Amino acid sequence: MGKYQIAVLSGDYIGPEIMKAGLKVLQAVSKDKNFDYEIKELPFGGAAIDKTGDPLPQETLDKCKASDAILLAAIGGPKWDQSPKRPEEGLLAIRKSLGLFANIRPTNISSVMKPYSPIKITDPVDFVIVRELTSGIYFGQPKSQTKDEAIDTMRYNADEITRVTKIAFDMAMKRKHHVTLVDKANVLATSKLWRQIVGAIAKKYPKVTYDTSYVDAAAMKIISDPFQFDVVLTENLFGDILSDEAAQITGSLGTIPSMSKGQTGPALYEPIHGSAPDIAGKGIADPISMIKSVAMMLDNSFNRSDLAQEIYLAIDRSINKKVTTPDLGGTSSTQEVTEEIIKSIQESRNEYVTNDVR
Ligand code: IPM
Ligand code: MG
């Protein structure tokens, strides 16, 4: 079999710093493990605007489409505030062009992360947000702005709701068998449609319990009682907001990866945070979100949960040793954390071999 093709979009500010970390870990974990890949680094976001004037150049899109998976770090920043095209347009365009309608954002607080959580952890926190990613108010027409009026349109059709709902319920079947639909059905017409469609689909999954929550109440429950959630299904804008909130209860936004996927074609893996211009160039960005994005890719696009598991365990061990960047209260650099994780992967492999021989 040929080598897997991985498209690499490093983007802006801390983007290249954490991508470097993610790729180093990928190289280390795949060594001698029968996982052959080739990476293609492609301009994207602000970096691509500087080069070509376009945040998503045609060549980048074509090569992403032809790849087996896409790794993206982070894009955007003040440098392009006045630019005729913003880096974020590239992000929305790649999601839309590749049909990546389902965005999976995990929130789990492993025992090593408990001390970092700003909330009181009385039970396991392990849920996943399934965010609709290619419709809703981000994309609805009309969208316009004049000097004294601006319009955004929240629009959904039945197919868009159905396909992402199926992903959420299928995921619940492999997890704790519970789906919560988050909406604003007491006000919004789109939410009323979501309720109708999701309610009907829920009946086809008798093994999955199903409930609904208004988004304002859900925002509260993520802080007061996050233990109740398993799969949280929601539309684009609510998912954007709630996933940052959910990330923060784990202790740091800098540790959360995500996967965006469609019906067919390559999936895209990226940290849920942005490009953090304030800490760029200082070498202190937390690489864990990117390294976990690599693990999610190995597991979901390449069926290598063995390698993903090695990465997750090594991350936990490095946090346990308090080798962490400042967002987790540590004094280590991006590079030191990355090296610690790699060392931990290698050491546990050596131990395994030694035990085996004995
Ligand atoms: C995210 C980001 C993006 C979004 C921005 C950068 C356009 O916040 O992936 O959550 O709103 O989707
Ligand atoms: Mg966001």
Side-chain angles (χ1 to χ4, degrees):
M1 203 171 66
K3 290 182 177 174
Y4 290 124
Q5 300 295 321
I6 301 172
V8 168
L9 315 176
S10 297
D12 311 317
Y13 291 99
I14 64 162
E17 300 172 32
I18 59 171
M19 182 61 85
K20 203 168 140 200
L23 293 177
K24 271 193 193 162
V25 172
L26 176 60
Q27 192 179 23
V29 83
S30 57
K31 189 167 179 275
D32 301 330
K33 288 286 175 179
N34 200 18
F35 182 82
D36 293 328
Y37 65 96
E38 227 163 51
I39 60 165
K40 262 200 188 71
E41 306 218 24
L42 302 163
F44 183 59
I49 294 178
D50 290 351
K51 264 196 183 149
T52 69
D54 186 351
L56 176 59
Q58 189 61 43
E59 195 198 339
T60 296
L61 179 60
D62 291 344
K63 292 201 166 141
C64 283
K65 271 188 187 157
S67 68
D68 296 302
I70 304 159
L71 285 174
L72 163 61
I75 52 128
K79 186 173 174 202
W80 301 280
D81 275 352
Q82 308 305 325
S83 152
K85 279 201 167 188
R86 291 184 62 105
E88 288 80 359
E89 289 174 44
L91 188 58
L92 300 192
I94 198 170
R95 289 171 177 170
K96 192 79 173 174
S97 310
L98 297 177
L100 307 173
F101 61 82
N103 181 220
I104 319 293
R105 300 188 160 189
T107 299
N108 46 59
I109 307 186
S110 61
S111 56
V112 297
M113 283 301 284
K114 267 191 201 172
Y116 299 98
S117 176
I119 64 168
K120 208 163 134 208
I121 312 286
T122 53
D123 290 296
V125 175
D126 179 14
F127 66 92
V128 56
I129 295 178
V130 178
R131 168 188 176 194
E132 199 291 323
L133 202 59
T134 53
S135 186
I137 201 165
Y138 275 54
F139 293 94
Q141 293 295 338
K143 190 189 252 316
S144 65
Q145 187 185 354
T146 61
K147 200 162 60 55
D148 50 19
E149 190 193 54
I151 299 171
D152 288 296
T153 303
M154 192 183 275
R155 190 204 60 87
Y156 270 103
N157 68 33
D159 287 347
E160 289 165 340
I161 299 170
T162 301
R163 63 191 185 180
V164 71
T165 299
K166 284 184 179 155
I167 287 189
F169 277 82
D170 288 343
M171 198 167 256
M173 288 295 287
K174 294 187 190 143
R175 295 177 44 98
K176 295 182 281 175
H177 297 85
H178 184 57
V179 172
T180 305
L181 169 66
V182 170
D183 62 25
K184 190 71 187 172
N186 47 349
V187 178
L188 300 177
T190 43
S191 289
K192 288 174 193 152
L193 183 63
W194 273 83
R195 278 217 180 178
Q196 263 175 31
I197 292 171
V198 180
I201 294 172
K203 294 207 174 76
K204 297 185 186 148
Y205 288 83
K207 291 203 173 107
V208 178
T209 55
Y210 165 64
D211 60 8
T212 61
S213 175
Y214 296 139
V215 61
D216 47 355
M220 183 188 70
K221 290 174 198 165
I222 286 176
I223 305 287
S224 64
D225 184 20
F227 324 106
Q228 65 181 278
F229 296 123
D230 178 22
V231 175
V232 174
L233 167 65
T234 193
E235 65 87 49
N236 203 345
L237 179 63
F238 299 160
D240 177 46
I241 298 167
L242 293 182
S243 60
D244 269 28
E245 187 196 8
Q248 198 53 31
I249 67 163
T250 68
S252 172
L253 194 60
T255 65
I256 309 294
S258 79
M259 161 170 74
S260 304
K261 65 173 189 174
Q263 225 83 267
T264 54
L268 180 151
Y269 300 84
E270 60 172 320
I272 78 158
H273 59 72
S275 62
D278 53 325
I279 58 163
K282 296 187 178 161
I284 55 165
D286 195 335
I288 292 179
S289 57
M290 191 71 233
I291 295 171
K292 281 191 178 168
S293 298
V294 167
M296 245 183 140
M297 171 187 80
L298 286 166
D299 190 4
N300 291 281
S301 283
F302 301 120
N303 221 355
R304 292 301 300 261
S305 59
D306 57 327
L307 302 183
Q309 214 48 40
E310 282 191 74
I311 294 178
Y312 292 131
L313 289 173
I315 290 173
D316 275 1
R317 282 191 296 266
S318 70
I319 295 171
N320 224 356
K321 276 176 82 177
K322 302 227 166 0
V323 181
T324 56
T325 43
D327 55 310
L328 288 176
T331 53
S332 302
S333 65
T334 309
Q335 199 182 337
E336 284 162 347
V337 170
T338 309
E339 279 162 10
E340 178 64 33
I341 291 168
I342 291 173
K343 199 173 86 190
S344 175
I345 291 172
Q346 290 164 345
E347 278 174 5
S348 60
R349 278 187 186 173
N350 289 340
E351 267 166 43
Y352 184 71
V353 171
T354 320
N355 287 341
D356 238 25
V357 170
R358 252 190 252 137

